[in-house]
Each structure stands twice: as structure tokens, then as C-alpha cells.
Amino acid sequence: MCFFFIWILVGVLVKPSPAWAAYTEQVPATASQTSVVIDAATGQVLVEKGMDQMMYPASITKIMTVLLALENSDPDKIHTMSYEATHSIDPNSTHIALTEGEQLSLRDLMYATMVASANDAANGIAECVAGSIDQFVAMMNEKAKEIGAVHTHFANANGLHNTDHYTTAYDMALITKYALTVKGFREYWRAEEYTIQPTNKQKQPRQMGTQHSMFVESQFTYEGCTGGKLGYTDEARHTSATSAKRGDVELICVTMSSQKYEKYEDTAALFDYCFDSFEKVTLSKRSLQGFVIPVMDGDTQVQEVRIYPDSSIDLLLHRQYSVDDLSLEYQVPKTYRLGEDVIPSLKVTLKPESSSMYRDLGSFPLPFSLIDTTEQKLDSATGLPVKDNSLFWKNVLGILKWIGVTLAVVVGCAVFVLFFAWLRRFLHRRKVKRRQRRREKLEAKREAELRARHVAALRARKRLAETGMRPSQQTRPVHIYVQQGPQRQQPQTGGTAVTTRRPRR
């Protein structure tokens, strides 16, 4: 027994169990200058390192370029390359040697941009979608603000270095999260290779393959990787945006300013840690609170915002915590001003006593509806809505209306029941009357037959009386003789019959 317990103790001390290792909060050290891992479904930040620090994105800029092309144009559209698109890039940068006047489909340009990271193809996309590169860059910056990438500014469509072209790891993760929801984007996001067929300027097909080693067969292949994009400039160093999925959880990892192979090692280590240490939990809609917020125009209420959570909220929680350790903070004002942006949200944090590096779990938008209401004034002294007696009477009338409807339904049901009972009784009485009439007819028929028989008997007696004969004179007596023996004699002439009778034993 002692040996057995010592063996167990040594096994636990020498090799900690995988479950214990998965519950640790020790985030793996990374070589990338900044990084972040978010949930692709909710945008919740799981792990971060300087995620809001301004960085140069390099070619991961092209994620925004392709998503805008898919949202605003047709992949089958044919575009003719301009002089600016083909000659405004550094000849030493990545390109596929597109020439002025060359015609390609937008689909070819998007595959060349994502798979080969061709800077000239990205310029072609910008001109094809917006008419000019400058106009397309304006669309990129507008889309970044719409997504929530507030620390991002783009200066070109390809990511070549420009001091006015910058972003953060978190912003790029948000842009990637949005791009994965755009119809058709994942086809380019996970494409391993592509071939552009001969064009009017190029007689040979152009073959290209991705340089991202985590979703192709290589020493850095990561199981569950669903796609990615790489970038590099001398100023930005290596950047990457990658997605991976296990079960029903998909994560996005962005690394910036790293060495060539460090980006793969950092991404794999962060993915492993997050997949092992976090699990999905659900806040049911029944546990969430609803609000009715007035919208004021001066001192008058003109609308109201109704916030009613209509679905559950899923989030990823470190395995050492549970839903009971969560604190919910509703970011909802007491009133809105007319024309003000309505952005209600729920901020989820761990309770103060948890003392964890994962205390801030993120904010989740709450669904709402804007409804026009009757004008309602505020009391200048208290700032509260003035009580409107008409509203009270409206409520009273509403209650009376429901009472009336209820009574009408009850009365209708009662009338239906009474009518059904009367109908049943009426049909029963008719049935009884039919049976009674049938019996009366049978009795009358029997009485008629008896009377007919009685009359016939009287008539027969009357006829006999008239002829002067008695009934006994109409027949001759029959004499029966009983003899022992097997023979039976036939009746003799004169009306006498002889019957043989067997002896009784």
C-alpha cells in the first residue's frame, strides 16, 4: 500500500495532469511585439499583448481590400489595368507583372491579392471597385470606422509602407472578424493556390501559391487552421492574421512586428493556450434585464427605446471560473436625446474578488427598438416626466376593454353550452316521441287484430246458430285402442284407430 501511494505521489509531482495545466493563467511568452486572440463569433478578447499599440500592417491590409471588393462589385467584372495601378508600386515589392491595358476579371485580381499578395493586383481592385485608388482608400477608412477599428488609418490598398498607413493588432482582428462574415470571402481566405489564365497581354498562365504555412502541408501546419494572410515590409517586419477552429469555437490571432518564423510559433502557442484554457458559457436571455428608455426633445418625450434581449449571449470563460463569477453592467443611460446614437450594451466582467487578468470579458451589444410615443413633458423642478392623467384613463380604458373582451368570451361560451344542452334535450325529446308514437301504432294494430278476430268468432257462431247445428255434431268420435306388441294397426273403417304402444320398462 505504501509503495502504491508513493507511486501515485511521484506521478503527480513529476508529470502534472493535462487538466491542471489547462487551468493555469500563465500565457505563453511570444516574440511578436504585439498580438491578440479574439473569438471570431463575438469579438471577445481572450489574450492580448499591446493590442492597442499603433503598428504598420503591411500586406494584411489586403483583407480590407478584398472584403470591400466583394461587398461593392461583381467578381466576374472585367477590369483594364491603368498606368498608375501598374507603375505606382515599388518594382522590388511583391507583384505578378501586370501591364498597362491588361484585362482581368475582378476574381483573378482578388485571388492574386490574397494568394500571391500582389500589390499591383490590389491597385487593380481599387480602380475596378471605386474608379480610382484614392477614392477606394476613402472607402477603406470609412469601412474601418464602421467596423469599430477606430485606431486605424489606411493610405493605400496594398499595405506598402506609408507613415500615414497604420493600425493595431486589435483593429486588424476586428477587420478580420468582419471579413469572415462577408459572403465569399472565405474562398480567398483559405485558398492555397490559383492560376490566372492567359490574358490579352500575357500568353502564359500565371500560377501562384500561398506563403502562409499554417494551413498548407509544412512544418508549421496547424490542425484546424481555416485560413490566413501574411504581410511584410522592412518597417512593419512580419505580420500575420490567422483563424483556427476546434469544435464550435473559432478564434482569430493577429501578430505584428515579428521574425519570419516567430509569427507561426507565436500563433500556434496562443491558439493552443486559448483552446485549452477557455470554454463556451451561455448567459440565457431570462437572466438578462430589459429597459424602456425615454427619448426627449427638450422637455418633451417623443419616443422611447425598448431594450429587450431576445437571445442568449455566448462568451468564452477561463475554465477556472463559472457563470456565478461574472458581473453584468448594463451600459444604458436614463434618457436619450433626440438624434443621439442609441448604442446599448452589456459589459461582462469578473467579480472584484476574482482578481484575475481576465476580469474584462468585453461588451456585447443589446438589441433594441425605437418606438414613437405621445408627447410627455418633464417637471422643471424634478426633471421627471409629468404625470399625465389621460394616460391613466387610457390604461383604465384598456383594462376595461380587456375585461369586456373576457366577459364577451365567457358569455359566448356560456351561450354555446346552453344552446348545445338545449339542442341535445330537443333531440332526446323527439326521439322519445317517435318511440311513443311507434308503440301507440303497435298497440292500435294489436287491438284492431283482436277486434277482427272477435268479430270473426261472433260471425261464425251466428252462422252456426242459423244452420241449427252444434259443433259436437259435426265430427264423429274417434276410438283409440292400445295393444301390446310390435304391430301397429291402421284405423278401422267407421272411424276407429288402433295404436301400438311399447311396454314401459
Side-chain angles (χ1 to χ4, degrees):
M1 290 294 292
C2 292
F3 174 78
F4 177 73
F5 284 114
I6 291 173
W7 177 77
I8 293 178
L9 181 60
V10 170
V12 171
L13 293 177
V14 173
K15 186 178 180 180
S17 66
W20 179 87
Y23 279 60
T24 180
E25 286 194 22
Q26 188 63 38
V27 180
T30 56
S32 302
Q33 185 174 340
T34 66
S35 60
V36 67
V37 178
I38 69 170
D39 181 7
T42 64
Q44 176 190 345
V45 177
L46 304 185
V47 178
E48 64 92 10
K49 175 183 176 182
M51 67 176 186
D52 292 325
Q53 183 178 343
M54 190 195 78
M55 305 294 292
Y56 296 125
S59 285
I60 59 176
T61 299
K62 296 181 174 72
I63 297 173
M64 173 67 82
T65 303
V66 172
L67 78 86
L68 280 177
L70 290 170
E71 286 188 331
N72 295 279
S73 191
D74 182 3
D76 293 324
K77 182 178 179 180
I78 302 300
H79 176 67
T80 302
M81 298 296 295
S82 69
Y83 178 86
E84 181 184 3
T86 57
H87 290 79
S88 63
I89 64 172
D90 183 351
N92 295 321
S93 65
T94 306
H95 61 84
I96 56 172
L98 296 174
T99 60
E100 181 183 359
E102 187 170 2
Q103 294 181 340
L104 301 92
S105 68
L106 181 59
R107 177 179 289 103
D108 289 337
L109 293 174
M110 288 191 292
Y111 271 113
T113 300
M114 289 297 290
V115 178
S117 197
N119 295 316
D120 48 356
N123 284 346
I125 291 175
E127 289 186 336
C128 180
V129 174
S132 69
I133 296 175
D134 292 340
Q135 190 64 30
F136 186 79
V137 170
M139 292 175 60
M140 295 172 70
N141 289 317
E142 183 179 353
K143 193 67 178 181
K145 291 181 180 179
E146 179 185 330
I147 293 173
V150 295
H151 300 295
T152 295
H153 186 270
F154 295 112
N156 54 59
N158 46 45
L160 289 175
H161 179 68
N162 187 311
T163 56
D164 201 28
H165 188 95
Y166 55 85
T167 186
T168 66
Y170 178 67
D171 282 3
M172 282 309 307
L174 288 182
I175 293 171
T176 304
K177 171 183 175 296
Y178 178 85
L180 293 178
T181 65
V182 176
K183 183 178 180 181
F185 180 82
R186 286 182 180 269
E187 297 179 11
Y188 304 89
W189 178 249
R190 62 171 177 257
E192 299 181 13
E193 56 185 21
Y194 186 73
T195 301
I196 298 178
Q197 299 302 322
T199 66
N200 61 325
K201 297 289 186 177
Q202 174 61 256
K203 303 305 180 182
Q204 299 297 325
R206 293 182 174 97
Q207 296 181 348
M208 57 196 73
T210 183
Q211 297 298 314
H212 201 304
S213 300
M214 296 190 72
F215 62 93
V216 296
E217 187 175 353
S218 69
Q219 60 176 330
F220 298 107
T221 302
Y222 188 84
E223 184 178 358
C225 185
T226 56
K229 183 72 185 77
L230 303 178
Y232 174 81
T233 63
D234 292 339
E235 294 80 6
R237 301 173 68 200
H238 288 273
T239 62
S240 70
T242 313
S243 63
K245 187 174 184 179
R246 286 188 191 176
D248 59 349
V249 176
E250 186 173 23
L251 303 180
I252 297 170
C253 179
V254 174
T255 63
M256 306 191 76
S257 186
S258 64
Q259 297 297 331
K260 184 174 182 179
Y261 300 117
E262 289 174 347
K263 59 180 179 287
Y264 299 134
E265 296 170 352
D266 290 350
T267 300
L270 292 173
F271 273 151
D272 285 341
Y273 172 78
C274 291
F275 280 124
D276 292 339
S277 301
F278 289 84
E279 63 181 349
K280 182 178 290 188
V281 297
T282 300
L283 300 177
S284 65
K285 61 181 180 180
R286 293 184 178 181
S287 65
L288 303 178
Q289 185 178 350
F291 300 88
V292 178
I293 310 299
V295 179
M296 310 304 299
D297 184 8
D299 293 339
T300 303
Q301 178 180 339
V302 294
Q303 292 176 324
E304 65 181 17
V305 179
R306 297 186 180 181
I307 303 171
Y308 293 113
D310 58 354
S311 61
S312 302
I313 294 179
D314 293 328
L315 55 87
L316 298 177
L317 186 62
H318 200 275
R319 294 181 184 273
Q320 63 179 324
Y321 301 110
S322 66
V323 176
D324 296 333
D325 296 317
L326 298 180
S327 176
L328 308 182
E329 179 183 350
Y330 294 90
Q331 297 177 331
V332 177
K334 294 183 178 180
T335 60
Y336 285 105
R337 309 307 300 178
L338 185 63
E340 181 183 357
D341 291 337
V342 179
I343 313 176
S345 61
L346 172 64
K347 184 178 181 180
V348 182
T349 59
L350 289 172
K351 294 179 180 179
E353 56 270 19
S354 301
S355 64
S356 169
M357 64 175 294
Y358 302 106
R359 283 197 60 195
D360 189 0
L361 302 182
S363 295
F364 300 86
L366 295 175
F368 66 91
S369 59
L370 191 63
I371 301 175
D372 291 333
T373 59
T374 56
E375 294 186 353
Q376 185 176 358
K377 295 184 178 181
L378 296 181
D379 189 343
S380 58
T382 62
L384 299 175
V386 178
K387 292 184 178 180
D388 188 359
N389 292 330
S390 62
L391 184 61
F392 169 77
W393 289 111
K394 286 182 180 179
N395 293 334
V396 172
L397 291 175
I399 294 173
L400 292 177
K401 178 181 178 180
W402 282 109
I403 292 176
V405 171
T406 304
L407 289 176
V409 172
V410 172
V411 171
C413 293
V415 170
F416 176 77
V417 172
L418 292 175
F419 173 77
F420 181 77
W422 173 83
L423 180 63
R424 183 179 180 183
R425 185 175 181 183
F426 173 76
L427 295 175
H428 178 70
R429 286 182 176 181
R430 288 188 59 183
K431 187 176 181 180
V432 171
K433 287 182 179 180
R434 284 198 299 267
R435 289 179 179 177
Q436 185 175 358
R437 285 197 297 268
R438 193 180 297 114
R439 285 197 299 268
E440 290 176 353
K441 287 182 180 179
L442 291 175
E443 291 177 357
K445 185 177 181 180
R446 291 193 190 98
E447 290 178 357
E449 291 177 354
L450 291 175
R451 283 195 298 270
R453 292 177 182 176
H454 182 65
V455 170
L458 292 176
R459 288 177 180 177
R461 289 179 182 178
K462 185 177 180 181
R463 285 196 299 269
L464 292 175
E466 290 176 354
T467 55
M469 296 178 61
R470 293 183 179 180
S472 60
Q473 295 177 352
Q474 299 298 321
T475 59
R476 296 176 63 184
V478 178
H479 300 280
I480 299 174
Y481 298 91
V482 178
Q483 296 180 354
Q484 296 182 355
Q487 296 182 354
R488 178 182 298 177
Q489 296 182 359
Q490 300 295 330
Q492 301 294 327
T493 304
T496 303
V498 180
T499 304
T500 304
R501 183 177 181 182
R502 296 181 65 180
R504 177 179 298 176
R505 292 183 181 179

